[in-house]
């Protein structure tokens, strides 16, 4: 399966890159922290080399030994996996659910640094994320320019025209999800082509297209909305770089078109899955735009900084997003987060990892309804915007998956297909 290929080949590659990154920054650690920095780097590398060896030789997955705030929850989850294995010994790297061991690897990478001050705040993936942003520069300029031009006459657009623009920016955000560094094991995955030109040609590759439902949810929320209650949209972010920019443009459009009054962003509290967005990445991206020597890029950055100051944009991170749990256990494991999401009119879940956690990363029949696969996770109306990069997919028409499978065996993992898949949460 793709899971086997990931654990056998991709994860060791990612660990090797992390070790190389630490090696390359040795002088910087020395300049900043003296011998202590170099000692910490050596300890972190030795910890990660040991981790790579455990992974490659299918050793048991061991409990976390650090004192970080989420360690107890992780170890409880490990016990739960132990009990699942029906007494057939310890869960090991190749004999455990893919979602669990992949998350576990990233959590161990975090521990390697967090336990080794003074380099405990170093993000081993930061360079790759920045590079992805800079290498997508042309696409960034195109999108910022399109959006700023759109804003000039957004007040004059009728409902049909607004809907068209909404669908366009939704699709840019959907295909932005192709720019994923954990999928390419850190190889270049920047957005090279113009993000708006080819949208029309991409429509056939959207296997589930519920854009109409999203539109009506927002329009109806607006109509029902009284002075007192705001229409709130939440975006559960995936990758930094071009994808994050496409999400920010979509969020600004929602405010500027008055489809929403506030947008809440949810990122990762620690570096995760190579290119996932952290608070640092979020703020860094807005600062890069502000200081860009391109008029429309800097205009976007300045406006977005303003949205954060005014409180119409809110950034959150929560420990739950970097736990191994499916979202169906959120109400139990993170009731505060679940209660917060219940205040939303629409939740947009970006990307593949979120989809795997929404559906429990199981080998579902393709035609199983999305609502069923969500396994009672329904805090608010929700939608997954995702390009397919792992072999889990539900909610297709009978025969649809099998038909594609016959001509394209790799269709579920190539990133060529996408979904805009909605669940009304009733």
């Amino acid at each position: 399966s793709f899971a086997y290929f990931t654990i056998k080949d991709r994860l060791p590659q990612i660990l090797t890159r992390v070790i190389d990154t630490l090696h390359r920054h040795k002088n910087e650690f020395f300049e900043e922290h003296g011998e202590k920095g170099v000692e910490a780097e050596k300890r972190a590398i030795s910890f990660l080399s040991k981790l790579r060896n455990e992974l490659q030789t299918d050793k048991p997955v061991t409990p976390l030994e650090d004192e970080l705030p989420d360690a107890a929850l992780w170890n409880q989850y490990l016990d739960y996996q132990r009990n699942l294995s029906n007494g057939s010994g310890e869960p090991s790297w190749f004999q455990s659910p893919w979602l669990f061991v992949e998350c576990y690897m990233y959590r161990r990478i975090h521990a390697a640094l967090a336990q080794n001050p003074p380099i405990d705040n170093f993000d081993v993936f930061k360079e790759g994320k920045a590079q992805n942003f800079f290498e997508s520069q042309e696409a960034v300029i195109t999108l910022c320019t399109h959006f700023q031009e759109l804003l000039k006459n957004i007040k004059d657009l009728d409902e049909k025209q607004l809907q068209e623009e909404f669908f366009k920016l939704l699709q840019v955000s959907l295909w932005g999800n192709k720019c994923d560094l954990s999928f390419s094991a850190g190889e270049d995955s920047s957005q090279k082509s113009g993000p708006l030109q080819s949208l029309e040609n991409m429509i056939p590759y959207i296997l589930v297209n519920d854009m109409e439902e999203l539109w009506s949810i927002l329009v109806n929320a607006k109509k029902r909305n009284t002075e007192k209650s705001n229409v709130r949209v939440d975006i559960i972010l995936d990758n930094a770089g071009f994808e994050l920019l496409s999400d920010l443009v979509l969020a600004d459009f929602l405010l500027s078109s008055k489809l929403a009054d506030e947008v809440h962003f949810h990122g990762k509290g620690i570096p995760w899955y190579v290119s996932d967005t952290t608070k640092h990445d979020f703020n860094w991206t807005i600062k890069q735009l502000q200081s860009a020597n391109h008029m429309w890029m800097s205009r976007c950055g300045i406006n977005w900084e303003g949205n954060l100051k005014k409180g119409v944009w809110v950034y959150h991170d929560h420990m739950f997003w970097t736990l191994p749990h499916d979202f169906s256990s959120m109400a139990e494991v993170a009731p505060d987060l679940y209660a917060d999401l219940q205040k939303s009119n629409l939740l947009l879940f970006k990307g593949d990892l979120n989809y795997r956690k929404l559906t429990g990363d199981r080998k579902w029949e393709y035609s199983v309804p999305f609502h069923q696969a969500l396994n009672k996770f329904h805090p608010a109306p929700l939608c997954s915007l995702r390009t397919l990069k792992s072999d889990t997919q539900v909610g297709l028409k009978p025969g649809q998956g099998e038909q594609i499978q016959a001509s394209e065996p790799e269709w579920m993992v190539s990133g060529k297909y996408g979904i805009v898949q909605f669940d009304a949460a009733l």
Side-chain angles (χ1 to χ4, degrees), residues 127-147:
E127 284 178 332
K129 290 183 277 196
Q131 193 179 347
N132 175 291
F133 177 81
F134 291 127
E135 286 175 355
S136 306
Q137 228 30 206
E138 274 177 54
V140 169
I141 289 172
T142 307
L143 187 53
C144 290
T145 305
H146 169 81
F147 182 61

Side-chain angles (χ1 to χ4, degrees), residues 214 217-218 221-222 224-225 229-236 254 259-266 312 314 316 321 330 336-349 377-383 422-425:
L214 298 191
I217 274 267
L218 291 169
K222 204 70 222 156
R224 279 200 312 271
N225 191 25
S229 68
N230 278 351
V231 175
R232 167 174 163 174
V233 174
D234 288 59
I235 304 179
I236 295 83
L254 291 171
L259 283 166
D261 303 295
E262 51 184 277
V263 179
H264 292 245
F265 300 92
H266 301 265
V312 290
V314 187
H316 311 258
W321 302 119
M330 185 192 290
D336 56 329
L337 178 60
Y338 194 84
D340 186 41
L341 297 182
Q342 284 178 309
K343 298 173 190 161
S344 187
N345 296 83
L346 175 64
L347 307 170
L348 294 174
F349 284 89
F377 177 72
H378 306 294
L382 64 87
C383 179
F422 177 72
D423 179 70

Side-chain angles (χ1 to χ4, degrees), residues 9 17 93 140 174 200 230-231 280 373 379 384:
D9 297 342
R17 280 182 180 246
W93 284 89
V140 169
L174 162 65
E200 208 46 51
N230 278 351
V231 175
H280 174 274
S384 166

Side-chain angles (χ1 to χ4, degrees), residues 59-118:
K59 293 282 186 294
V61 176
T62 53
L64 296 176
E65 291 171 358
D66 55 61
E67 303 290 310
L68 299 171
D70 59 350
L73 282 168
W74 269 97
N75 289 337
Q76 278 165 16
Y77 193 84
L78 182 59
D79 281 340
Y80 158 75
Q81 288 293 341
R82 271 204 194 99
N83 296 333
L84 278 189
S85 63
N86 308 327
S88 59
E90 297 288 304
S92 70
W93 284 89
F94 285 87
Q95 317 294 328
S96 298
W98 172 24
L99 184 66
F100 165 54
V101 289
E102 194 169 17
C103 288
Y104 175 81
M105 180 190 82
Y106 286 103
R107 175 57 177 75
R108 291 275 303 269
I109 291 173
H110 174 59
L113 286 123
Q115 290 179 280
N116 282 308

Side-chain angles (χ1 to χ4, degrees), residues 167-180 189 191 195 198-207 242-243 246 350 385-389 415-420:
F167 287 177
K168 228 185 248 181
L169 295 175
L170 259 180
Q171 289 172 73
V172 173
S173 174
L174 162 65
W175 297 118
N177 182 237
K178 286 185 172 194
C179 305
D180 177 344
S189 65
Q191 175 79 21
S198 46
L199 291 181
E200 208 46 51
N201 310 336
M202 306 286 274
I203 296 257
Y205 298 102
I206 303 178
L207 301 178
F242 181 76
E243 181 176 1
S246 68
K350 291 299 310 281
L385 293 177
R386 155 219 195 199
T387 59
L388 278 65
K389 293 179 289 235
K416 173 179 169 181
Y417 290 94
I419 55 163
V420 181

Side-chain angles (χ1 to χ4, degrees), residues 23 38 50 63 81 93 97 141 158 161 174 252 355 378:
H23 269 306
V38 178
K50 183 169 171 285
Q81 288 293 341
W93 284 89
I141 289 172
D158 62 26
Q161 291 168 308
L174 162 65
D252 195 352
Y355 193 78
H378 306 294

